[in-house]
Amino acid sequence: METKKENIIDKYLNTKKKKVIAGCVAGVLVIGVAGAVILNNNGSKDLVFTSNEVDAEFGQKVSTNIADYLDANKVDNLDKIIKDTKEKDNLKYVTVTNKDEQGNVVSKEEKDYPKVGNYTINFTYKKEKQSIKVTVKDTTAPEIKAPDSIDVIQYTDLSTFNFGELLQATDYSDVKDWKIDTSKVDVNTIGTYDLKVTIQDKYKNKASKKLKVNIVQAPEVAEGEVAVTEVVTDENGNKKTVVTKKSSSEVSKNDAVASTSPVSNKGTVNSSSNSSVSKPTTNSGTSKPSGNNTSSSNSSNNSSSSKGDEHKHNYNIPITKTVHHDAVTKVVHHDAVTRQETYTVVDKEAYDEPVYETHVVCKVCGQDFGKGSEASLNAGDHSAITGHSYHSTKVQAGTKHHDAVTHQETKTVVVTPAYDETVVVKQAYDETVTTGYKCLCGATK
């Protein structure tokens, strides 16, 4: 009877246990399904980027290749995504107009970098879309190339001097006119002065450079001749000034004719930048984030077609290459610059010596009654009243100052150490050499 009752209880407990387990399993399934629903609602992303924003400096390429933006560590099927992703953008690229010396348009060239502005690159893979925001800014100042010094004839009016012929600026953006600070140059007095040239592009990026102006004496001229400062180009392609004399009929618009009497400076003058500013021939890199840049730009080859002997070659397009010439230098030794200096040596430091006096002092309360017979009487009265005993002891009454003991010595001080200076005898330069000519059809000779 007892055994049967236990079996019924065990059966009941087993049934309850199974229901509890089943309930737990059901709860887990519900939670799992809910999680799956949440996961599906969020969506699994294939286009995971390292960044959704690109800041590019004007002159940089901006990649439109999906491979440069994907986070390879968080993307599956990377090759398939790169292959099947479609790209669309609103990038607007720079077009540079090339002109000859007379200002005539020779050609127009589309560059591989976009204009300053805000753009969007859109990528689509299957039904998923992601965008890259591109911000192109110009924060780079123009690069100035100018001679270290120039010679100008005395009594030359610098407000009419053609500084633009001597100066060269390179910038991706358009620039304003040169600002020439002549305030420190006295054209009426022979000597060397500082001149500051400044140029600014349309985005207010400013560059400055200082050079020396040598005011020199005018050469002697005959009747019908004038003294001029002429801007010429040397064998290395560098601009410089030459002080010379010319007949009045030979003077060109680029020659600065010197006066025969003192003139005044205006302080700051403007000089045209039209003939002295160039665009860089190559871009300054690819904007980040970057990877394997496979972006391409459309280009067309000029060609001329003909049948048989109808086409005659016109080899009027130079084929050039750039040859680099290293700088020529020499080492100049400079001896040390020294001076004699006298200084004070302390043999014994200054100090204060304590001075002591014998006073009558209470042994118990420490009262100081001073010195002499009166002090002893006062101490005796104090002892009679308090029962305290007293004694004579030394007490510091002051100090005696002793000055430092010193003497003078002389030593040699190095003002400027000796050094070796590498002096550039001739600047490094790149020379453009013509190696041949080609026809518009592509034929060369």
Side-chain angles (χ1 to χ4, degrees):
M1 187 71 179
E2 190 71 26
T3 301
K4 185 175 182 182
K5 186 176 180 179
E6 290 174 356
N7 290 337
I8 293 172
I9 292 172
D10 288 341
K11 183 177 180 182
Y12 174 76
L13 289 174
N14 288 336
T15 303
K16 291 286 288 181
K17 193 181 297 182
K18 289 176 182 178
K19 288 182 179 180
V20 171
I21 294 171
C24 292
V25 172
V28 172
L29 289 174
V30 170
I31 293 171
V33 171
V37 170
I38 293 172
L39 182 61
N40 288 335
N41 286 339
N42 288 338
S44 59
K45 290 185 177 181
D46 291 306
L47 300 180
V48 181
F49 295 157
T50 56
S51 175
N52 289 84
E53 295 183 358
V54 169
D55 292 327
E57 182 67 19
F58 187 41
Q60 286 184 321
K61 292 180 181 179
V62 175
S63 174
T64 57
N65 189 344
I66 183 66
D68 291 335
Y69 301 98
L70 289 172
D71 190 337
N73 296 323
K74 298 180 180 179
V75 173
D76 296 327
N77 300 320
L78 182 63
D79 293 339
K80 180 173 176 56
I81 293 173
I82 293 174
K83 179 181 178 182
D84 296 342
T85 297
K86 297 180 180 179
E87 180 273 335
K88 187 176 181 181
D89 62 74
N90 61 346
L91 296 172
K92 296 179 181 179
Y93 293 90
V94 172
T95 299
V96 174
T97 301
N98 300 313
K99 298 181 180 181
D100 58 21
E101 294 181 355
Q102 287 72 39
N104 301 315
V105 177
V106 177
S107 63
K108 291 186 177 181
E109 177 185 4
E110 184 179 275
K111 297 292 185 178
D112 55 0
Y113 52 88
K115 301 176 181 179
V116 172
N118 298 315
Y119 305 97
T120 303
I121 304 174
N122 297 308
F123 294 106
T124 304
Y125 176 69
K126 296 181 179 179
K127 294 183 178 181
E128 185 181 349
K129 296 182 179 180
Q130 289 288 348
S131 298
I132 300 291
K133 292 182 179 180
V134 179
T135 302
V136 180
K137 296 180 180 179
D138 186 352
T139 62
T140 303
E143 183 178 339
I144 297 176
K145 181 181 179 182
D148 293 330
S149 66
I150 60 173
D151 294 339
V152 177
I153 297 177
Q154 186 181 22
Y155 306 139
T156 298
D157 186 356
L158 296 184
S159 65
T160 61
F161 192 89
N162 190 6
F163 287 100
E165 283 293 312
L166 284 167
L167 308 173
Q168 293 180 330
T170 303
D171 197 273
Y172 285 101
S173 299
D174 294 332
V175 299
K176 300 180 181 179
D177 285 343
W178 292 95
K179 299 289 184 183
I180 316 297
D181 183 3
T182 63
S183 59
K184 295 183 179 180
V185 181
D186 182 1
V187 295
N188 302 313
T189 304
I190 294 175
T192 300
Y193 304 92
D194 290 327
L195 182 79
K196 183 179 180 181
V197 299
T198 304
I199 196 165
Q200 178 175 292
D201 66 23
K202 63 182 292 187
Y203 297 103
K204 297 183 178 180
N205 300 304
K206 186 183 294 184
S208 299
K209 186 177 179 66
K210 289 184 179 180
L211 54 147
K212 298 291 184 182
V213 175
N214 305 311
I215 302 301
V216 299
Q217 187 172 5
E220 294 184 3
V221 295
E223 185 177 354
E225 292 181 330
V226 291
V228 299
T229 303
E230 182 181 10
V231 178
V232 299
T233 303
D234 64 17
E235 67 277 6
N236 299 323
N238 299 316
K239 299 282 187 178
K240 65 178 182 179
T241 57
V242 174
V243 172
T244 185
K245 54 186 177 180
K246 290 184 177 181
S247 65
S248 301
S249 59
E250 293 178 342
V251 176
S252 71
K253 64 179 182 178
N254 293 329
D255 296 332
V257 180
S259 173
T260 56
S261 59
V263 297
S264 61
N265 278 342
K266 294 182 179 179
T268 301
V269 297
N270 294 342
S271 186
S272 174
S273 62
N274 292 336
S275 62
S276 59
V277 176
S278 61
K279 305 288 183 182
T281 54
T282 57
N283 64 60
S284 59
T286 303
S287 60
K288 295 182 178 181
S290 63
N292 295 325
N293 192 351
T294 58
S295 60
S296 60
S297 59
N298 293 328
S299 61
S300 60
N301 296 323
N302 292 328
S303 62
S304 175
S305 60
S306 62
K307 294 182 180 180
D309 296 330
E310 293 180 3
H311 173 70
K312 293 183 179 180
H313 294 302
N314 184 11
Y315 298 101
N316 60 352
I317 303 174
I319 302 172
T320 62
K321 69 175 182 178
T322 300
V323 178
H324 178 74
H325 299 269
D326 292 331
V328 179
T329 63
K330 67 177 181 180
V331 177
V332 178
H333 178 74
H334 299 268
D335 292 330
V337 178
T338 63
R339 61 183 171 85
Q340 296 298 310
E341 184 178 282
T342 301
Y343 64 100
T344 301
V345 177
V346 177
D347 300 313
K348 187 176 182 180
E349 298 287 348
Y351 68 97
D352 292 329
E353 178 185 6
V355 177
Y356 295 95
E357 292 179 349
T358 301
H359 286 199
V360 179
V361 179
C362 178
K363 291 183 178 181
V364 179
C365 64
Q367 184 174 349
D368 188 345
F369 297 100
K371 62 181 180 177
S373 59
E374 187 178 351
S376 298
L377 291 175
N378 291 334
D381 293 340
H382 175 75
S383 177
I385 296 170
T386 61
H388 295 172
S389 61
Y390 56 90
H391 68 135
S392 295
T393 184
K394 288 187 178 182
V395 176
Q396 184 174 347
T399 58
K400 180 181 179 181
H401 180 73
H402 297 270
D403 292 332
V405 178
T406 63
H407 71 276
Q408 300 294 310
E409 291 186 2
T410 302
K411 66 179 179 180
T412 300
V413 178
V414 177
V415 178
T416 303
Y419 65 97
D420 291 332
E421 178 186 11
T422 300
V423 178
V424 178
V425 178
K426 186 176 182 180
Q427 296 286 348
Y429 65 97
D430 292 333
E431 179 184 9
T432 301
V433 179
T434 301
T435 59
Y437 294 88
K438 66 179 179 181
C439 176
L440 196 62
C441 69
T444 61
K445 74 170 184 178

